[in-house]
Short mmCIF file of all heavy atoms in Angstrom, two decimals:
data_model
loop_
_atom_site.label_atom_id
_atom_site.label_comp_id
_atom_site.label_asym_id
_atom_site.label_seq_id
_atom_site.Cartn_x
_atom_site.Cartn_y
_atom_site.Cartn_z
N MET A 3 49.67 -39.36 -8.28
CA MET A 3 50.26 -38.43 -7.31
C MET A 3 49.61 -37.04 -7.47
O MET A 3 49.63 -36.47 -8.56
CB MET A 3 51.77 -38.33 -7.55
CG MET A 3 52.52 -37.72 -6.39
SD MET A 3 54.28 -37.55 -6.75
CE MET A 3 54.97 -38.73 -5.61
N ASN A 4 49.00 -36.55 -6.40
CA ASN A 4 48.34 -35.24 -6.52
C ASN A 4 49.29 -34.10 -6.16
O ASN A 4 50.41 -34.31 -5.68
CB ASN A 4 47.06 -35.20 -5.68
CG ASN A 4 47.33 -35.38 -4.20
OD1 ASN A 4 48.41 -35.01 -3.73
ND2 ASN A 4 46.38 -35.92 -3.48
N VAL A 5 48.81 -32.88 -6.39
CA VAL A 5 49.65 -31.69 -6.21
C VAL A 5 50.14 -31.58 -4.76
O VAL A 5 51.30 -31.25 -4.50
CB VAL A 5 48.88 -30.43 -6.64
CG1 VAL A 5 49.63 -29.17 -6.22
CG2 VAL A 5 48.66 -30.43 -8.14
N GLN A 6 49.22 -31.85 -3.82
CA GLN A 6 49.58 -31.77 -2.40
C GLN A 6 50.78 -32.66 -2.08
O GLN A 6 51.72 -32.26 -1.41
CB GLN A 6 48.38 -32.22 -1.56
CG GLN A 6 48.63 -32.16 -0.06
CD GLN A 6 47.97 -30.94 0.56
OE1 GLN A 6 46.97 -30.45 0.02
NE2 GLN A 6 48.52 -30.45 1.63
N LYS A 7 50.73 -33.89 -2.60
CA LYS A 7 51.83 -34.84 -2.33
C LYS A 7 53.12 -34.40 -3.00
O LYS A 7 54.20 -34.54 -2.42
CB LYS A 7 51.43 -36.24 -2.81
CG LYS A 7 50.45 -36.92 -1.89
CD LYS A 7 50.53 -38.43 -2.03
CE LYS A 7 49.80 -39.09 -0.87
NZ LYS A 7 49.94 -40.55 -0.87
N ILE A 8 53.00 -33.88 -4.21
CA ILE A 8 54.20 -33.40 -4.92
C ILE A 8 54.83 -32.25 -4.15
O ILE A 8 56.05 -32.20 -3.96
CB ILE A 8 53.85 -32.97 -6.36
CG1 ILE A 8 53.41 -34.19 -7.17
CG2 ILE A 8 55.04 -32.28 -7.01
CD1 ILE A 8 52.88 -33.85 -8.54
N ARG A 9 53.99 -31.32 -3.67
CA ARG A 9 54.53 -30.17 -2.92
C ARG A 9 55.20 -30.64 -1.64
O ARG A 9 56.24 -30.09 -1.24
CB ARG A 9 53.40 -29.18 -2.60
CG ARG A 9 53.02 -28.35 -3.81
CD ARG A 9 52.06 -27.25 -3.45
NE ARG A 9 51.80 -26.40 -4.62
CZ ARG A 9 50.64 -25.82 -4.88
NH1 ARG A 9 49.62 -25.99 -4.06
NH2 ARG A 9 50.49 -25.08 -5.95
N GLU A 10 54.62 -31.63 -0.98
CA GLU A 10 55.21 -32.16 0.25
C GLU A 10 56.59 -32.76 -0.06
O GLU A 10 57.55 -32.58 0.68
CB GLU A 10 54.28 -33.20 0.88
CG GLU A 10 54.76 -33.75 2.21
CD GLU A 10 55.09 -32.66 3.24
OE1 GLU A 10 54.32 -31.67 3.36
OE2 GLU A 10 56.13 -32.79 3.90
N GLU A 11 56.66 -33.48 -1.20
CA GLU A 11 57.93 -34.08 -1.58
C GLU A 11 58.97 -33.00 -1.91
O GLU A 11 60.15 -33.14 -1.57
CB GLU A 11 57.73 -35.02 -2.79
CG GLU A 11 58.96 -35.86 -3.05
CD GLU A 11 58.71 -36.96 -4.08
OE1 GLU A 11 57.53 -37.34 -4.27
OE2 GLU A 11 59.69 -37.42 -4.68
N ILE A 12 58.52 -31.94 -2.56
CA ILE A 12 59.42 -30.82 -2.87
C ILE A 12 59.99 -30.24 -1.58
O ILE A 12 61.19 -29.97 -1.47
CB ILE A 12 58.69 -29.73 -3.69
CG1 ILE A 12 58.43 -30.25 -5.12
CG2 ILE A 12 59.52 -28.44 -3.74
CD1 ILE A 12 57.56 -29.32 -5.96
N LYS A 13 59.12 -30.04 -0.58
CA LYS A 13 59.58 -29.50 0.71
C LYS A 13 60.64 -30.40 1.34
O LYS A 13 61.64 -29.92 1.86
CB LYS A 13 58.38 -29.36 1.67
CG LYS A 13 57.69 -28.03 1.59
CD LYS A 13 56.66 -27.92 2.70
CE LYS A 13 55.72 -26.75 2.47
NZ LYS A 13 54.56 -26.80 3.38
N GLN A 14 60.38 -31.70 1.31
CA GLN A 14 61.33 -32.63 1.90
C GLN A 14 62.67 -32.56 1.18
O GLN A 14 63.74 -32.60 1.81
CB GLN A 14 60.78 -34.06 1.84
CG GLN A 14 59.65 -34.29 2.84
CD GLN A 14 58.99 -35.64 2.67
OE1 GLN A 14 59.42 -36.46 1.86
NE2 GLN A 14 57.92 -35.87 3.43
N LEU A 15 62.62 -32.46 -0.16
CA LEU A 15 63.85 -32.38 -0.94
C LEU A 15 64.59 -31.08 -0.63
O LEU A 15 65.82 -31.06 -0.54
CB LEU A 15 63.55 -32.49 -2.43
CG LEU A 15 63.10 -33.89 -2.89
CD1 LEU A 15 62.60 -33.84 -4.32
CD2 LEU A 15 64.23 -34.90 -2.76
N GLU A 16 63.83 -29.97 -0.46
CA GLU A 16 64.46 -28.69 -0.15
C GLU A 16 65.18 -28.77 1.20
O GLU A 16 66.27 -28.22 1.36
CB GLU A 16 63.41 -27.58 -0.13
CG GLU A 16 63.01 -27.15 -1.53
CD GLU A 16 61.86 -26.14 -1.52
OE1 GLU A 16 61.19 -25.99 -0.49
OE2 GLU A 16 61.64 -25.52 -2.57
N ARG A 17 64.55 -29.44 2.16
CA ARG A 17 65.19 -29.60 3.47
C ARG A 17 66.47 -30.42 3.33
O ARG A 17 67.49 -30.14 3.95
CB ARG A 17 64.24 -30.27 4.47
CG ARG A 17 63.28 -29.28 5.13
CD ARG A 17 62.63 -29.89 6.35
NE ARG A 17 61.63 -30.88 5.99
CZ ARG A 17 60.34 -30.61 5.78
NH1 ARG A 17 59.90 -29.39 5.91
NH2 ARG A 17 59.50 -31.56 5.44
N LYS A 18 66.41 -31.45 2.50
CA LYS A 18 67.58 -32.31 2.29
C LYS A 18 68.71 -31.50 1.62
O LYS A 18 69.87 -31.64 1.99
CB LYS A 18 67.20 -33.51 1.41
CG LYS A 18 68.38 -34.39 1.07
CD LYS A 18 68.03 -35.85 1.08
CE LYS A 18 69.28 -36.70 1.11
NZ LYS A 18 68.99 -38.12 0.96
N ILE A 19 68.36 -30.66 0.65
CA ILE A 19 69.35 -29.82 -0.02
C ILE A 19 70.01 -28.90 0.99
O ILE A 19 71.23 -28.71 0.98
CB ILE A 19 68.69 -29.01 -1.17
CG1 ILE A 19 68.36 -29.95 -2.32
CG2 ILE A 19 69.61 -27.88 -1.64
CD1 ILE A 19 67.48 -29.31 -3.38
N GLU A 20 69.21 -28.31 1.91
CA GLU A 20 69.78 -27.44 2.94
C GLU A 20 70.79 -28.18 3.79
O GLU A 20 71.88 -27.67 4.08
CB GLU A 20 68.66 -26.90 3.84
CG GLU A 20 68.01 -25.65 3.31
CD GLU A 20 66.90 -25.16 4.24
OE1 GLU A 20 67.08 -25.24 5.46
OE2 GLU A 20 65.87 -24.71 3.71
N VAL A 21 70.43 -29.39 4.21
CA VAL A 21 71.33 -30.20 5.04
C VAL A 21 72.62 -30.48 4.29
O VAL A 21 73.72 -30.37 4.83
CB VAL A 21 70.64 -31.53 5.46
CG1 VAL A 21 71.65 -32.49 6.08
CG2 VAL A 21 69.51 -31.25 6.44
N LEU A 22 72.49 -30.84 3.00
CA LEU A 22 73.67 -31.14 2.19
C LEU A 22 74.54 -29.90 1.99
O LEU A 22 75.77 -29.98 2.00
CB LEU A 22 73.24 -31.72 0.83
CG LEU A 22 72.62 -33.12 0.89
CD1 LEU A 22 72.06 -33.50 -0.46
CD2 LEU A 22 73.63 -34.15 1.36
N GLN A 23 73.88 -28.74 1.81
CA GLN A 23 74.63 -27.50 1.61
C GLN A 23 75.43 -27.15 2.86
O GLN A 23 76.58 -26.73 2.77
CB GLN A 23 73.64 -26.37 1.27
CG GLN A 23 74.32 -25.11 0.76
CD GLN A 23 75.12 -25.35 -0.51
OE1 GLN A 23 74.60 -25.88 -1.49
NE2 GLN A 23 76.39 -24.99 -0.50
N VAL A 24 74.81 -27.36 4.03
CA VAL A 24 75.51 -27.12 5.29
C VAL A 24 76.72 -28.04 5.39
O VAL A 24 77.80 -27.63 5.82
CB VAL A 24 74.56 -27.34 6.50
CG1 VAL A 24 75.35 -27.44 7.80
CG2 VAL A 24 73.54 -26.21 6.57
N ARG A 25 76.55 -29.29 4.96
CA ARG A 25 77.66 -30.25 5.02
C ARG A 25 78.80 -29.80 4.11
O ARG A 25 79.97 -29.89 4.47
CB ARG A 25 77.15 -31.63 4.61
CG ARG A 25 78.04 -32.75 5.10
CD ARG A 25 77.40 -34.10 4.93
NE ARG A 25 76.26 -34.30 5.81
CZ ARG A 25 75.40 -35.33 5.70
NH1 ARG A 25 75.57 -36.21 4.76
NH2 ARG A 25 74.39 -35.44 6.53
N ILE A 26 78.45 -29.31 2.91
CA ILE A 26 79.48 -28.81 1.99
C ILE A 26 80.23 -27.65 2.63
O ILE A 26 81.46 -27.59 2.60
CB ILE A 26 78.83 -28.35 0.65
CG1 ILE A 26 78.42 -29.56 -0.17
CG2 ILE A 26 79.81 -27.48 -0.15
CD1 ILE A 26 77.66 -29.21 -1.43
N ASN A 27 79.47 -26.72 3.24
CA ASN A 27 80.11 -25.57 3.89
C ASN A 27 81.07 -26.02 4.98
O ASN A 27 82.17 -25.46 5.12
CB ASN A 27 79.04 -24.63 4.49
CG ASN A 27 78.27 -23.91 3.41
OD1 ASN A 27 78.68 -23.87 2.25
ND2 ASN A 27 77.13 -23.34 3.77
N GLU A 28 80.66 -27.02 5.77
CA GLU A 28 81.51 -27.52 6.84
C GLU A 28 82.81 -28.11 6.28
O GLU A 28 83.90 -27.85 6.79
CB GLU A 28 80.77 -28.60 7.64
CG GLU A 28 79.71 -28.04 8.57
CD GLU A 28 78.84 -29.12 9.22
OE1 GLU A 28 79.02 -30.31 8.88
OE2 GLU A 28 77.99 -28.77 10.02
N ILE A 29 82.68 -28.90 5.21
CA ILE A 29 83.85 -29.52 4.58
C ILE A 29 84.78 -28.44 4.03
O ILE A 29 86.00 -28.49 4.23
CB ILE A 29 83.42 -30.49 3.46
CG1 ILE A 29 82.71 -31.71 4.05
CG2 ILE A 29 84.63 -30.93 2.63
CD1 ILE A 29 82.02 -32.57 3.01
N GLN A 30 84.19 -27.42 3.37
CA GLN A 30 85.01 -26.39 2.74
C GLN A 30 85.67 -25.50 3.78
O GLN A 30 86.77 -24.99 3.55
CB GLN A 30 84.15 -25.57 1.76
CG GLN A 30 83.75 -26.41 0.55
CD GLN A 30 83.01 -25.61 -0.50
OE1 GLN A 30 82.30 -24.67 -0.19
NE2 GLN A 30 83.17 -26.00 -1.75
N GLN A 31 85.01 -25.31 4.93
CA GLN A 31 85.62 -24.49 5.98
C GLN A 31 86.78 -25.23 6.66
O GLN A 31 87.73 -24.61 7.12
CB GLN A 31 84.57 -24.09 7.02
CG GLN A 31 83.79 -22.85 6.58
CD GLN A 31 82.60 -22.56 7.48
OE1 GLN A 31 82.52 -23.08 8.60
NE2 GLN A 31 81.67 -21.76 6.99
N ALA A 32 86.68 -26.56 6.71
CA ALA A 32 87.72 -27.35 7.37
C ALA A 32 88.88 -27.66 6.43
O ALA A 32 89.92 -28.14 6.87
CB ALA A 32 87.12 -28.66 7.90
N CYS A 33 88.72 -27.38 5.13
CA CYS A 33 89.71 -27.76 4.12
C CYS A 33 90.92 -26.82 4.15
O CYS A 33 90.78 -25.62 4.33
CB CYS A 33 89.06 -27.71 2.74
SG CYS A 33 90.17 -28.14 1.39
N ASP A 34 92.13 -27.41 4.00
CA ASP A 34 93.30 -26.56 3.77
C ASP A 34 93.45 -26.46 2.25
O ASP A 34 94.13 -27.26 1.62
CB ASP A 34 94.55 -27.12 4.44
CG ASP A 34 94.86 -28.55 4.01
OD1 ASP A 34 93.92 -29.27 3.63
OD2 ASP A 34 96.04 -28.93 4.03
N HIS A 35 92.79 -25.46 1.69
CA HIS A 35 92.58 -25.39 0.25
C HIS A 35 93.86 -25.48 -0.57
O HIS A 35 94.92 -25.00 -0.17
CB HIS A 35 91.88 -24.06 -0.09
CG HIS A 35 90.56 -23.88 0.60
ND1 HIS A 35 89.53 -24.77 0.47
CD2 HIS A 35 90.12 -22.92 1.44
CE1 HIS A 35 88.50 -24.36 1.20
NE2 HIS A 35 88.83 -23.25 1.80
N HIS A 36 93.70 -26.07 -1.73
CA HIS A 36 94.77 -26.08 -2.74
C HIS A 36 94.14 -25.61 -4.04
O HIS A 36 93.53 -26.38 -4.79
CB HIS A 36 95.35 -27.49 -2.89
CG HIS A 36 96.46 -27.55 -3.89
ND1 HIS A 36 96.34 -28.23 -5.09
CD2 HIS A 36 97.69 -27.00 -3.88
CE1 HIS A 36 97.47 -28.09 -5.77
NE2 HIS A 36 98.30 -27.36 -5.07
N PHE A 37 94.24 -24.27 -4.28
CA PHE A 37 93.54 -23.68 -5.41
C PHE A 37 94.32 -23.80 -6.71
O PHE A 37 95.54 -23.61 -6.75
CB PHE A 37 93.25 -22.20 -5.13
CG PHE A 37 92.14 -21.99 -4.14
CD1 PHE A 37 92.40 -21.47 -2.88
CD2 PHE A 37 90.83 -22.32 -4.46
CE1 PHE A 37 91.38 -21.27 -1.96
CE2 PHE A 37 89.81 -22.13 -3.55
CZ PHE A 37 90.07 -21.61 -2.31
N ILE A 38 93.58 -24.13 -7.76
CA ILE A 38 94.14 -24.17 -9.11
C ILE A 38 93.23 -23.33 -9.99
O ILE A 38 92.00 -23.46 -9.92
CB ILE A 38 94.17 -25.62 -9.65
CG1 ILE A 38 95.08 -26.49 -8.77
CG2 ILE A 38 94.63 -25.65 -11.10
CD1 ILE A 38 94.95 -27.97 -9.07
N GLY A 39 93.81 -22.43 -10.79
CA GLY A 39 92.95 -21.62 -11.62
C GLY A 39 93.72 -20.63 -12.45
O GLY A 39 94.92 -20.79 -12.69
N ASP A 40 93.02 -19.57 -12.90
CA ASP A 40 93.64 -18.54 -13.71
C ASP A 40 93.22 -17.17 -13.18
O ASP A 40 92.79 -17.05 -12.04
CB ASP A 40 93.26 -18.72 -15.19
CG ASP A 40 91.75 -18.77 -15.36
OD1 ASP A 40 91.03 -18.16 -14.54
OD2 ASP A 40 91.30 -19.42 -16.30
N ALA A 41 93.29 -16.15 -14.01
CA ALA A 41 93.01 -14.79 -13.56
C ALA A 41 91.52 -14.57 -13.27
O ALA A 41 91.15 -13.58 -12.65
CB ALA A 41 93.48 -13.81 -14.62
N TYR A 42 90.67 -15.47 -13.71
CA TYR A 42 89.23 -15.26 -13.60
C TYR A 42 88.63 -15.97 -12.39
O TYR A 42 87.82 -15.41 -11.66
CB TYR A 42 88.53 -15.71 -14.87
CG TYR A 42 88.96 -14.91 -16.06
CD1 TYR A 42 90.03 -15.32 -16.83
CD2 TYR A 42 88.31 -13.72 -16.38
CE1 TYR A 42 90.46 -14.57 -17.92
CE2 TYR A 42 88.72 -12.96 -17.46
CZ TYR A 42 89.80 -13.39 -18.22
OH TYR A 42 90.21 -12.65 -19.28
N TYR A 43 89.00 -17.21 -12.21
CA TYR A 43 88.54 -17.91 -11.02
C TYR A 43 89.44 -19.10 -10.73
O TYR A 43 90.15 -19.58 -11.61
CB TYR A 43 87.07 -18.36 -11.15
CG TYR A 43 86.83 -19.51 -12.09
CD1 TYR A 43 86.63 -20.79 -11.59
CD2 TYR A 43 86.80 -19.33 -13.46
CE1 TYR A 43 86.40 -21.87 -12.43
CE2 TYR A 43 86.57 -20.39 -14.32
CZ TYR A 43 86.37 -21.65 -13.80
OH TYR A 43 86.15 -22.71 -14.63
N GLU A 44 89.41 -19.54 -9.47
CA GLU A 44 90.23 -20.67 -9.08
C GLU A 44 89.37 -21.66 -8.30
O GLU A 44 88.40 -21.28 -7.65
CB GLU A 44 91.41 -20.20 -8.22
CG GLU A 44 91.00 -19.41 -7.00
CD GLU A 44 92.18 -18.85 -6.24
OE1 GLU A 44 93.29 -18.88 -6.75
OE2 GLU A 44 91.96 -18.39 -5.11
N THR A 45 89.72 -22.93 -8.41
CA THR A 45 88.95 -23.99 -7.77
C THR A 45 89.88 -24.81 -6.88
O THR A 45 90.99 -25.14 -7.28
CB THR A 45 88.33 -24.92 -8.84
OG1 THR A 45 87.61 -24.13 -9.77
CG2 THR A 45 87.38 -25.92 -8.19
N CYS A 46 89.41 -25.13 -5.68
CA CYS A 46 90.18 -25.98 -4.78
C CYS A 46 90.11 -27.42 -5.29
O CYS A 46 89.02 -27.94 -5.54
CB CYS A 46 89.64 -25.90 -3.36
SG CYS A 46 90.47 -27.02 -2.22
N SER A 47 91.27 -28.04 -5.46
CA SER A 47 91.29 -29.41 -5.99
C SER A 47 90.83 -30.42 -4.95
O SER A 47 90.52 -31.56 -5.28
CB SER A 47 92.69 -29.76 -6.46
OG SER A 47 93.58 -29.73 -5.36
N LYS A 48 90.74 -30.01 -3.68
CA LYS A 48 90.33 -30.94 -2.63
C LYS A 48 88.83 -30.87 -2.34
O LYS A 48 88.18 -31.90 -2.20
CB LYS A 48 91.11 -30.65 -1.35
CG LYS A 48 92.60 -30.90 -1.47
CD LYS A 48 93.31 -30.51 -0.19
CE LYS A 48 94.81 -30.74 -0.30
NZ LYS A 48 95.52 -30.24 0.88
N CYS A 49 88.28 -29.65 -2.21
CA CYS A 49 86.87 -29.53 -1.81
C CYS A 49 86.00 -28.86 -2.87
O CYS A 49 84.81 -28.64 -2.64
CB CYS A 49 86.76 -28.76 -0.50
SG CYS A 49 87.06 -26.99 -0.68
N ASN A 50 86.57 -28.50 -4.02
CA ASN A 50 85.84 -27.88 -5.12
C ASN A 50 85.30 -26.49 -4.83
O ASN A 50 84.42 -26.00 -5.54
CB ASN A 50 84.67 -28.78 -5.57
CG ASN A 50 85.15 -29.94 -6.42
OD1 ASN A 50 86.35 -30.19 -6.52
ND2 ASN A 50 84.23 -30.65 -7.03
N LYS A 51 85.80 -25.85 -3.78
CA LYS A 51 85.39 -24.47 -3.51
C LYS A 51 85.89 -23.58 -4.64
O LYS A 51 87.03 -23.71 -5.09
CB LYS A 51 85.97 -24.01 -2.18
CG LYS A 51 85.53 -22.61 -1.77
CD LYS A 51 86.16 -22.25 -0.43
CE LYS A 51 85.92 -20.80 -0.07
NZ LYS A 51 84.50 -20.48 0.19
N VAL A 52 85.03 -22.66 -5.11
CA VAL A 52 85.39 -21.79 -6.21
C VAL A 52 85.55 -20.36 -5.71
O VAL A 52 84.69 -19.85 -4.99
CB VAL A 52 84.30 -21.82 -7.31
CG1 VAL A 52 84.62 -20.81 -8.42
CG2 VAL A 52 84.17 -23.22 -7.89
N ASN A 53 86.66 -19.73 -6.06
CA ASN A 53 86.87 -18.31 -5.81
C ASN A 53 86.83 -17.57 -7.14
O ASN A 53 87.59 -17.88 -8.04
CB ASN A 53 88.23 -18.07 -5.15
CG ASN A 53 88.19 -18.32 -3.66
OD1 ASN A 53 87.12 -18.32 -3.05
ND2 ASN A 53 89.35 -18.54 -3.07
N VAL A 54 85.93 -16.59 -7.25
CA VAL A 54 85.88 -15.77 -8.45
C VAL A 54 86.81 -14.59 -8.23
O VAL A 54 86.70 -13.87 -7.24
CB VAL A 54 84.46 -15.27 -8.73
CG1 VAL A 54 84.43 -14.41 -9.99
CG2 VAL A 54 83.52 -16.46 -8.88
N LEU A 55 87.76 -14.41 -9.16
CA LEU A 55 88.81 -13.41 -8.95
C LEU A 55 88.62 -12.16 -9.79
O LEU A 55 89.01 -11.07 -9.40
CB LEU A 55 90.18 -14.02 -9.29
CG LEU A 55 90.53 -15.29 -8.52
CD1 LEU A 55 91.82 -15.87 -9.07
CD2 LEU A 55 90.66 -15.00 -7.04
N TYR A 56 88.00 -12.30 -10.95
CA TYR A 56 87.86 -11.19 -11.87
C TYR A 56 86.81 -10.24 -11.33
O TYR A 56 85.65 -10.61 -11.15
CB TYR A 56 87.49 -11.72 -13.25
CG TYR A 56 87.53 -10.70 -14.35
CD1 TYR A 56 88.45 -9.67 -14.35
CD2 TYR A 56 86.64 -10.80 -15.42
CE1 TYR A 56 88.49 -8.75 -15.36
CE2 TYR A 56 86.67 -9.89 -16.46
CZ TYR A 56 87.59 -8.85 -16.42
OH TYR A 56 87.62 -7.95 -17.43
N TYR A 57 87.18 -9.00 -11.07
CA TYR A 57 86.33 -8.06 -10.35
C TYR A 57 84.96 -7.86 -11.01
O TYR A 57 83.95 -7.70 -10.33
CB TYR A 57 87.04 -6.71 -10.22
CG TYR A 57 86.24 -5.71 -9.42
CD1 TYR A 57 86.09 -5.87 -8.03
CD2 TYR A 57 85.61 -4.64 -10.03
CE1 TYR A 57 85.35 -4.98 -7.30
CE2 TYR A 57 84.85 -3.74 -9.31
CZ TYR A 57 84.73 -3.91 -7.94
OH TYR A 57 83.97 -3.03 -7.22
N TYR A 58 84.90 -7.90 -12.32
CA TYR A 58 83.64 -7.67 -13.02
C TYR A 58 82.52 -8.56 -12.51
O TYR A 58 81.38 -8.14 -12.39
CB TYR A 58 83.84 -7.91 -14.53
CG TYR A 58 82.55 -7.85 -15.32
CD1 TYR A 58 81.98 -6.62 -15.67
CD2 TYR A 58 81.91 -9.02 -15.72
CE1 TYR A 58 80.81 -6.56 -16.39
CE2 TYR A 58 80.73 -8.97 -16.44
CZ TYR A 58 80.19 -7.74 -16.77
OH TYR A 58 79.01 -7.71 -17.49
N TRP A 59 82.83 -9.78 -12.17
CA TRP A 59 81.77 -10.72 -11.79
C TRP A 59 81.20 -10.42 -10.41
O TRP A 59 80.12 -10.86 -10.07
CB TRP A 59 82.31 -12.15 -11.83
CG TRP A 59 82.81 -12.48 -13.20
CD1 TRP A 59 84.11 -12.66 -13.58
CD2 TRP A 59 82.04 -12.62 -14.39
NE1 TRP A 59 84.17 -12.90 -14.92
CE2 TRP A 59 82.94 -12.89 -15.44
CE3 TRP A 59 80.67 -12.53 -14.66
CZ2 TRP A 59 82.50 -13.07 -16.74
CZ3 TRP A 59 80.24 -12.72 -15.97
CH2 TRP A 59 81.15 -12.98 -16.98
N PHE A 60 81.93 -9.65 -9.61
CA PHE A 60 81.37 -9.23 -8.32
C PHE A 60 80.37 -8.10 -8.51
O PHE A 60 79.46 -7.93 -7.71
CB PHE A 60 82.49 -8.74 -7.39
CG PHE A 60 83.33 -9.85 -6.84
CD1 PHE A 60 84.66 -9.94 -7.18
CD2 PHE A 60 82.78 -10.79 -5.98
CE1 PHE A 60 85.45 -10.96 -6.67
CE2 PHE A 60 83.56 -11.81 -5.47
CZ PHE A 60 84.90 -11.90 -5.83
N THR A 61 80.54 -7.32 -9.57
CA THR A 61 79.70 -6.14 -9.75
C THR A 61 78.44 -6.43 -10.55
O THR A 61 77.49 -5.67 -10.50
CB THR A 61 80.48 -5.02 -10.47
OG1 THR A 61 80.88 -5.52 -11.76
CG2 THR A 61 81.73 -4.62 -9.70
N THR A 62 78.41 -7.53 -11.28
CA THR A 62 77.23 -7.83 -12.08
C THR A 62 76.13 -8.40 -11.19
O THR A 62 76.39 -9.14 -10.24
CB THR A 62 77.57 -8.81 -13.21
OG1 THR A 62 76.42 -8.96 -14.02
CG2 THR A 62 78.02 -10.16 -12.68
N LYS A 63 74.89 -8.03 -11.50
CA LYS A 63 73.78 -8.43 -10.64
C LYS A 63 73.21 -9.78 -11.04
O LYS A 63 72.75 -10.54 -10.19
CB LYS A 63 72.67 -7.37 -10.70
CG LYS A 63 73.00 -6.16 -9.84
CD LYS A 63 71.94 -5.09 -9.96
CE LYS A 63 72.35 -3.83 -9.19
NZ LYS A 63 71.46 -2.71 -9.48
N SER A 64 73.18 -10.08 -12.32
CA SER A 64 72.55 -11.33 -12.74
C SER A 64 73.49 -12.50 -12.50
O SER A 64 74.68 -12.43 -12.83
CB SER A 64 72.20 -11.26 -14.23
OG SER A 64 73.36 -11.04 -14.98
N PRO A 65 72.97 -13.56 -11.88
CA PRO A 65 73.82 -14.73 -11.66
C PRO A 65 74.19 -15.37 -12.99
O PRO A 65 73.39 -15.41 -13.91
CB PRO A 65 72.94 -15.66 -10.83
CG PRO A 65 71.54 -15.21 -11.08
CD PRO A 65 71.60 -13.76 -11.43
N ARG A 66 75.43 -15.86 -13.07
CA ARG A 66 75.88 -16.47 -14.31
C ARG A 66 76.39 -17.87 -14.05
O ARG A 66 76.81 -18.18 -12.96
CB ARG A 66 77.01 -15.64 -14.94
CG ARG A 66 76.52 -14.32 -15.47
CD ARG A 66 77.68 -13.42 -15.82
NE ARG A 66 77.22 -12.07 -16.13
CZ ARG A 66 76.98 -11.66 -17.37
NH1 ARG A 66 77.15 -12.45 -18.38
NH2 ARG A 66 76.56 -10.44 -17.58
N LYS A 67 76.31 -18.66 -15.08
CA LYS A 67 76.83 -20.02 -14.96
C LYS A 67 78.36 -19.99 -14.96
O LYS A 67 78.96 -19.05 -15.45
CB LYS A 67 76.34 -20.87 -16.14
CG LYS A 67 74.87 -21.21 -16.04
CD LYS A 67 74.43 -21.98 -17.25
CE LYS A 67 74.42 -21.08 -18.48
NZ LYS A 67 73.83 -21.71 -19.65
N GLU A 68 78.95 -21.03 -14.39
CA GLU A 68 80.40 -21.09 -14.34
C GLU A 68 81.03 -21.00 -15.72
O GLU A 68 82.07 -20.39 -15.90
CB GLU A 68 80.85 -22.41 -13.68
CG GLU A 68 81.00 -22.29 -12.17
CD GLU A 68 81.51 -23.57 -11.57
OE1 GLU A 68 82.36 -24.23 -12.16
OE2 GLU A 68 81.01 -23.92 -10.51
N THR A 69 80.35 -21.59 -16.71
CA THR A 69 80.91 -21.59 -18.08
C THR A 69 80.95 -20.18 -18.63
O THR A 69 81.78 -19.89 -19.49
CB THR A 69 80.07 -22.48 -18.99
OG1 THR A 69 78.69 -22.14 -18.84
CG2 THR A 69 80.26 -23.94 -18.66
N ASP A 70 80.06 -19.27 -18.15
CA ASP A 70 80.08 -17.90 -18.63
C ASP A 70 81.31 -17.15 -18.16
O ASP A 70 81.66 -16.12 -18.72
CB ASP A 70 78.84 -17.14 -18.14
CG ASP A 70 77.57 -17.64 -18.82
OD1 ASP A 70 77.66 -18.11 -19.96
OD2 ASP A 70 76.51 -17.58 -18.19
N MET A 71 81.94 -17.65 -17.09
CA MET A 71 83.09 -16.97 -16.53
C MET A 71 84.37 -17.29 -17.28
O MET A 71 85.38 -16.65 -17.08
CB MET A 71 83.26 -17.34 -15.05
CG MET A 71 82.09 -16.86 -14.20
SD MET A 71 82.46 -16.93 -12.45
CE MET A 71 82.49 -18.68 -12.18
N LEU A 72 84.32 -18.31 -18.13
CA LEU A 72 85.52 -18.67 -18.88
C LEU A 72 85.84 -17.58 -19.88
O LEU A 72 84.93 -17.02 -20.49
CB LEU A 72 85.31 -20.02 -19.59
CG LEU A 72 85.13 -21.21 -18.68
CD1 LEU A 72 84.71 -22.43 -19.47
CD2 LEU A 72 86.40 -21.50 -17.89
N PRO A 73 87.09 -17.25 -20.06
CA PRO A 73 87.47 -16.19 -21.00
C PRO A 73 87.20 -16.59 -22.45
O PRO A 73 87.10 -17.74 -22.77
CB PRO A 73 88.97 -16.02 -20.76
CG PRO A 73 89.42 -17.23 -20.05
CD PRO A 73 88.24 -17.83 -19.36
ZN1 ZN B 118 89.46 -26.72 -0.27
#
């Protein structure tokens, strides 16, 4: 498999990820959420949408993993 073919496959996968992300957004927008969580973040038990509640995480610039948000 040469570089050209690998790059083409990467592009196809990126397009697929976009389609899947749109589908997730559609599901989460249609969901009547049932959030479970604590003071830091809450997760919908139906669609897995995450709301970050602790203000500090909105102000930080570097993206963090979900595990970093645990107290
Ligand atoms: Zn939901």
